[in-house]
């Protein structure tokens, strides 16, 4: 069925730290917005060079070996964005800022690390926002979702650039604990484990959500599947028959049928309302 193009004329920019964040955190909303006619751009701040990889196939690409993971992830990101039906660009160009790694790591002391971008990162994102004139910016909450320094810096840069350029609304992606934990299967797939109570990053309440219809849900699954160095897609399982996945830590998670969002800056979200509701074209 042809989707309603009720969002034609709207422009959306999502600001993410690494390739794969756009698909895991916001893939459903991005695909839904694009299918409904909005022009959606994903700004990725680093190449994810410091990421871990799954299995032996790509093991020698990591930073401590060939240090080629970032270049490989450019291709993964391109395939994921194609699955979502959205555009993409890198902040400052591909490779301008480097993955900072976790807090206190040697990678965070690299002058090119994104956490060290200073006002230059804000300037570069403001240039993009001035050119795009988005009605909506999507990014992380102040904790970056789960505390990664690059996520936190993406939050800071997005807020500063959005305020400078007068973006009407900025929202934070979030995961609702009850849905995330309630959809888990009773047993983990072979080789994986179930999360401990409270182990997954999640919140207990949000302002609104995006329902993922079948086509949008499949688009998100395929976008996540494109990031094969980072994500393993499993089978449908659990009480709700949700698709399972795991990162390199092999902790079982599920792709929920809703993506949740919270008000960050500008016009607040209406409880249960659309991400662009109340914003004039």
């Amino acid at each position: 069925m042809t989707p309603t193009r009720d969002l034609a004329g709207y422009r959306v920019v999502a600001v993410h730290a690494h390739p794969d964040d756009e698909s895991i955190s916001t893939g459903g909303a991005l695909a839904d917005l694009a299918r409904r006619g909005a022009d959606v751009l994903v700004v990725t701040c680093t190449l994810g060079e410091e990421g871990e990889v799954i299995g032996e196939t790509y093991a020698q690409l990591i930073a401590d070996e060939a240090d080629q993971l970032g270049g490989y992830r450019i291709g993964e990101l391109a395939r994921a964005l194609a699955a979502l039906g959205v555009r993409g660009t890198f902040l400052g160009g591909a490779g301008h800022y480097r993955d900072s790694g976790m807090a206190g790591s040697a990678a965070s002391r690299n002058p090119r690390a994104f956490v060290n971008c200073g006002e230059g990162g804000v300037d570069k994102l403001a240039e993009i926002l001035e050119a795009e004139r988005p009605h909506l910016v999507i990014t992380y909450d102040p904790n970056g979702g789960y505390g990664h320094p690059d996520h936190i810096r993406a939050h800071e840069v997005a807020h500063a650039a959005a305020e400078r350029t007068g973006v009407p609304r900025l929202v934070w992606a979030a995961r609702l604990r009850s849905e995330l934990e309630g959809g888990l299967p009773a047993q983990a797939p072979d080789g994986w484990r179930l999360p401990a109570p409270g182990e997954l990053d999640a919140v207990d309440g949000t302002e609104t959500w995006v329902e993922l219809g079948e086509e949008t849900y499949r688009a998100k699954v395929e976008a996540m599947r494109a990031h094969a160095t980072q994500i393993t897609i499993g089978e449908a399982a659990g009480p709700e028959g949700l698709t399972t996945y795991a990162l390199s830590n092999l902790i079982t998670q599920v792709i929920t049928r809703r993506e949740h969002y919270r008000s960050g800056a500008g016009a607040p979200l209406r409880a249960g309302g659309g991400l662009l509701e109340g914003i004039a074209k």
Side-chain angles (χ1 to χ4, degrees):
M1 184 174 65
T2 303
T4 302
R5 304 282 291 177
D6 60 317
L7 299 182
Y10 282 106
R11 297 173 297 278
V12 178
V13 171
V15 181
H16 283 289
H18 316 106
D20 80 1
D21 293 326
E22 81 296 327
S23 299
I24 296 172
S25 301
T26 60
L30 299 183
D32 180 70
L33 291 164
R35 290 184 68 245
R36 293 169 61 188
D39 181 19
V40 181
L41 175 70
V42 173
V43 178
T44 308
C45 298
T46 79
L47 303 184
E49 297 95 333
E50 298 295 322
E52 298 177 350
V53 298
I54 296 173
E56 297 299 319
T57 303
Y58 308 110
Q60 296 181 74
L61 296 178
I62 63 172
D64 291 341
E65 298 288 342
D67 196 17
Q68 297 294 306
L69 181 59
Y72 191 87
R73 293 183 75 175
I74 292 175
E76 291 185 331
L77 177 60
R79 291 187 288 276
L81 297 182
L84 298 176
V86 304
R87 299 183 292 127
T89 192
F90 288 97
L91 188 64
H96 185 83
Y97 293 117
R98 187 176 174 92
D99 185 342
S100 308
M102 296 306 291
S105 68
S108 69
R109 297 189 290 274
N110 187 320
R112 289 180 47 242
F114 182 52
V115 292
N116 301 321
C117 72
E119 195 66 15
V122 178
D123 293 341
K124 287 177 173 56
L125 183 58
E127 289 177 6
I128 293 172
L129 299 185
E130 286 170 353
E132 295 290 324
R133 295 178 295 110
H135 300 86
L136 173 70
V137 167
I138 302 173
T139 191
Y140 315 100
D141 67 14
N143 189 48
Y146 68 98
H148 193 293
D150 283 335
H151 288 223
I152 295 171
R153 187 59 186 147
H155 162 90
E156 295 167 346
V157 168
H159 270 261
E163 181 177 5
R164 183 189 300 181
T165 58
V167 172
R169 174 179 287 157
L170 183 150
V171 301
W172 304 335
R175 305 203 296 177
L176 191 66
R177 192 179 315 279
S178 59
E179 293 180 1
L180 195 63
E181 296 180 353
L184 288 167
Q187 291 186 318
D190 289 346
W192 300 3
R193 70 171 177 87
L194 291 177
E199 184 174 12
L200 300 178
D201 61 280
V203 298
D204 294 319
T206 62
E207 279 94 333
T208 197
W209 57 87
V210 175
E211 297 279 356
L212 309 190
E214 287 302 319
E215 188 169 343
T216 302
Y217 191 84
R218 288 196 301 270
K220 177 169 181 169
V221 171
E222 291 311 305
M224 290 176 62
R225 195 189 307 276
H227 292 287
T229 63
Q230 309 298 305
I231 304 169
T232 300
I233 299 294
E235 302 296 327
E240 300 179 32
L242 300 173
T243 299
T244 57
Y245 74 96
L247 306 178
S248 60
N249 56 19
L250 301 181
I251 297 174
T252 305
Q253 302 191 56
V254 292
I255 303 174
T256 59
R257 295 280 177 181
R258 286 178 171 177
E259 283 184 355
H260 287 262
Y261 293 88
R262 300 163 64 196
S263 297
L269 293 164
R270 182 181 67 82
L275 295 180
L276 286 162
E277 182 181 307
I279 303 296
K281 293 184 183 179

